[in-house]
Amino acid sequence: MVKHWRVNREEKYEIVEKWFLKDLEMIDGKEADTDNPYFDMHFHKVYNMEAYSCASKYTFARTVSKLNAMYLKKDLKIVNFDETYLNDDSIWSSSNRDCLVLMRICFYASNLLCLSLCPLS
């Protein structure tokens, strides 16, 4: 866990706490259908965390999941996250997921708008 703060124009970072991936039991996103940066990490006790953004929370969960699959291959529970954004094999998959999702939503919305303006014969 890193603490970040600014002193005048200088940004400072301090490592506050470290854990081993093997000790992580679960990541709880708290609310899958809400855009919030809060989540819990379950070790021997529960740590309440806040990411920089909801996108960074999902990036963190994806990264931890990939590291677990690559090195530990243990059953790591990731709950209360939207599975669509966690899986690489989903239709939303991309190296820049957030922009791709936004582009697709805009595309579908513009198609709906065009279709709603078409007169019925």
Side-chain angles (χ1 to χ4, degrees), residues 3-13 52:
K3 182 178 179 183
H4 169 254
W5 70 94
R6 260 183 212 188
V7 178
N8 298 327
R9 293 185 174 198
E10 199 174 318
E11 294 194 36
K12 301 209 175 218
Y13 298 90
Y52 182 75

Side-chain angles (χ1 to χ4, degrees), residues 18-73:
K18 297 178 189 180
W19 302 282
F20 289 108
L21 180 57
K22 67 178 182 160
D23 297 333
L24 181 60
E25 299 166 3
M26 179 172 70
I27 301 175
D28 183 358
K30 293 191 176 188
E31 299 171 12
D33 56 349
T34 304
D35 188 18
N36 71 52
Y38 304 102
F39 62 100
D40 293 336
M41 291 180 28
H42 295 248
F43 291 94
H44 58 281
K45 72 179 216 178
V46 177
Y47 293 91
N48 299 316
M49 308 297 279
E50 179 181 1
Y52 182 75
S53 65
C54 186
S56 61
K57 174 176 86 170
Y58 274 85
T59 301
F60 176 76
R62 281 191 299 270
T63 303
V64 169
S65 178
K66 286 179 184 179
L67 287 171
N68 177 59
M70 189 180 305
Y71 295 108
L72 296 178
K73 297 176 179 63

Side-chain angles (χ1 to χ4, degrees), residues 106-119:
C106 290
F107 175 74
Y108 293 137
S110 66
N111 282 346
L112 287 172
L113 179 64
C114 289
L115 287 173
S116 68
L117 295 176
C118 292

